[in-house]
Amino acid sequence: DAKTTQPTSMDCAEGRAANLPCNHSTISGNEYVYWYRQIHSQGPQYIIHGLKNNETNEMASLIITEDRKSSTLILPHATLRDTAVYYCIVRVEGANSKLTFGKGITLSVRP
Amino acid sequence: NAGVTQTPKFQVLKTGQSMTLQCAQDMNHNSMYWYRQDPGMGLRLIYYSASEGTTDKGEVPNGYNVSRLNKREFSLRLESAAPSQTSVYFCASSDPAAETYNEQFFGPGTRLTVL
């Protein structure tokens, strides 16, 4: 699976959009981009995933560049409860396709 | 549904002791996973089971054994605990055949300290 690069940390104000970047310049054509988050002391939680089209669900939006070498996770209206470590992961689909977690980006939402 | 449950929540062992971490899921998932997370680090895969009756090594399997007891349960055993195994252990499950096959569901974790 391709490696990803994320900043170590970022912060944003409550109620504003949080834009979390991720670089995955060696991504293969059959690899998807996934985002998980981990709130302190809890197990990771799936947020969203995509292949090449932009995706949106009730939690977030995922914007993937046309060359697929980078992506941005957008939390449209960040709340204090969104303070967490966010992991960007690329993986191939399939029954034995495993998640490889890096260190992620720590998002701090300030009041 | 309870999702993924893990027992115990906390455990302190002495070097050389053995123990088994239990994991169960009630989502009828085929695949189950064990990860460990050291302070300030991401999760690392220890073992996984793609389906009942099969297990495979992950990134850091040394010092651990696993048993896929049935479709619901996947246990992790430390035969002779070492201080380097002090960590938080997470169990997860997924089902490639389901609509949510992309998603792994995680348990709350077991916090293990080996003295």
Side-chain angles (χ1 to χ4, degrees):
Chain A
D1 292 339
K3 290 185 177 178
T4 62
T5 304
Q6 300 176 256
T8 303
S9 63
M10 66 176 291
D11 63 20
C12 75
E14 189 176 20
R16 304 298 295 268
N19 298 312
L20 285 70
C22 180
N23 286 323
H24 30 80
S25 59
T26 60
I27 192 170
S28 300
N30 61 347
E31 288 182 312
Y32 287 69
V33 180
Y34 285 79
W35 284 84
Y36 280 73
R37 75 178 182 183
Q38 186 175 23
I39 296 171
H40 181 63
S41 298
Q42 298 180 20
Q45 176 191 23
Y46 166 85
I47 301 173
I48 198 168
H49 77 284
L51 182 61
K52 53 185 176 181
N53 297 323
N54 297 339
E55 302 287 344
T56 296
N57 63 20
E58 65 279 4
M59 291 182 68
S61 294
L62 174 60
I63 308 298
I64 302 174
T65 58
E66 193 169 342
D67 64 7
R68 303 210 321 123
K69 293 184 177 182
S70 66
S71 60
T72 301
L73 179 74
I74 301 173
L75 308 179
H77 305 286
T79 70
L80 298 179
R81 288 178 294 179
D82 292 321
T83 293
V85 178
Y86 288 77
Y87 298 98
C88 171
I89 300 166
V90 292
R91 61 175 275 200
V92 177
E93 287 301 300
N96 293 332
S97 179
K98 302 170 287 295
L99 295 174
T100 300
F101 288 83
K103 293 186 179 181
I105 178 172
T106 299
L107 172 67
S108 300
V109 180
R110 61 181 187 275
Chain B
N1 287 349
V4 179
T5 57
Q6 293 183 235
T7 55
K9 287 187 169 56
F10 300 92
Q11 184 70 50
V12 178
L13 293 177
K14 294 180 179 179
T15 298
Q17 287 185 317
S18 62
M19 78 161 295
T20 299
L21 280 65
Q22 306 287 354
C23 174
Q25 51 91 9
D26 62 1
M27 296 173 283
N28 202 35
H29 286 171
N30 282 310
S31 300
M32 297 185 73
Y33 313 80
W34 275 105
Y35 294 87
R36 62 176 286 175
Q37 184 173 34
D38 300 328
M41 304 292 290
L43 282 72
R44 292 184 292 171
L45 184 65
I46 305 171
Y47 271 94
Y48 68 99
S49 171
S51 61
E52 186 179 353
T54 68
T55 61
D56 285 287
K57 296 178 180 179
E59 183 185 354
V60 288
N62 290 344
Y64 305 95
N65 287 302
V66 290
S67 295
R68 184 73 183 268
L69 305 169
N70 47 55
K71 193 171 186 179
R72 288 188 64 249
E73 299 171 289
F74 188 37
S75 62
L76 179 72
R77 182 162 178 82
L78 288 70
E79 290 291 351
S80 179
S84 60
Q85 294 178 304
T86 294
S87 191
V88 181
Y89 291 84
F90 290 101
C91 178
S93 71
S94 68
D95 191 345
E99 282 189 4
T100 58
Y101 72 105
N102 312 290
E103 178 179 352
Q104 288 189 18
F105 295 81
F106 285 81
T110 294
R111 283 145 186 82
L112 175 67
T113 301
V114 183
L115 302 175

